[in-house]
Amino acid sequence: MIRRISAVILAAILLALGMLLCLAGCGQSNAMIMVGLALTDGEQETGTVLQSALEEAEHSVELACAKSAQEQTEQLTSLMQDGASVLVIHSVDSVAVENLFSESKSDASNLSVIACGAPINAECVKAYVGPDLYDAARQQAQQVVKELNLDEPERACTVELVAGNGAERAVAGAMEVLQPYVDKGTVII
């Protein structure tokens, strides 16, 4: 399935990029900054729009689209080696990206990252553009409580939590609602 980034998300990415580029450009005599766009496969069109807008603002841009976490990790490493100061990452696997930034061989100290679609837990991430996974999972858990009538249960229910990129935030949001029921023995995770 190919996911398209909406015009609203694209505008938010451009706004976040603009703010980061202004901050990164402060104190530099040459305002041109190298931006790496690391997107998932199928986002070539979005990447091209971003690349054109940034190049019009006289920034150097490299675009990379990956089909797998391994390919994206290699592309990110290459973008950092090429001198990217700012990375926009729509991750194939956010945990793989987090692992890359936590490795001692990946120096991300002078890097600013905008995470798109899924949060990336790394110190270099300066902005996140995407859904509030915590709140979405909390709302879904509230619906589970209602549908399973957990306030007046006839029996204990088993609930399975399933999440992809950003799973930690989603599980935390769901557990905010479900934890009292787990504590009472009404819900088994």
Side-chain angles (χ1 to χ4, degrees), residues 6-177:
S6 72
V8 172
I9 297 294
L10 184 59
I13 292 169
L14 288 171
L15 177 63
L17 260 171
M19 291 186 307
L20 279 178
L21 292 172
C22 286
L23 291 173
C26 292
Q28 292 184 7
S29 58
N30 181 3
M32 188 169 98
I33 294 172
M34 204 292 225
V35 178
L37 302 174
L39 308 176
T40 59
D41 189 46
E43 294 179 330
Q44 186 75 34
E45 187 177 328
T46 300
T48 302
V49 170
L50 286 169
Q51 184 174 18
S52 295
L54 290 166
E55 286 174 345
E56 283 179 28
E58 299 183 0
H59 296 289
S60 172
V61 181
E62 284 187 33
L63 173 61
C65 294
K67 293 181 182 180
S68 68
Q70 173 72 28
E71 182 180 17
Q72 190 168 52
T73 298
E74 291 168 3
Q75 290 173 348
L76 287 168
T77 301
S78 178
L79 289 168
M80 289 187 288
Q81 289 171 347
D82 289 350
S85 301
V86 176
L87 285 176
V88 176
I89 304 172
H90 188 253
S91 59
V92 173
D93 179 349
S94 59
V95 174
V97 175
E98 290 171 6
N99 290 339
L100 172 68
F101 290 137
S102 69
E103 292 175 357
S104 59
K105 62 184 175 187
S106 299
D107 181 20
S109 59
N110 293 323
L111 188 63
S112 295
V113 173
I114 298 173
C116 302
I120 298 170
N121 187 17
E123 201 167 304
C124 58
V125 176
K126 306 300 183 211
Y128 167 64
V129 178
D132 183 345
L133 299 173
Y134 186 93
D135 189 53
R138 193 179 52 71
Q139 290 177 30
Q140 288 172 347
Q142 289 170 341
Q143 189 64 30
V144 166
V145 167
K146 178 182 171 187
E147 293 298 322
L148 296 178
N149 193 26
L150 294 177
D151 289 318
E152 298 175 25
E154 296 175 14
R155 63 189 168 10
C157 296
T158 301
V159 176
E160 182 176 352
L161 303 178
V162 179
N165 271 340
E168 287 181 25
R169 294 280 304 150
V171 169
M175 289 307 294
E176 177 187 310
V177 173

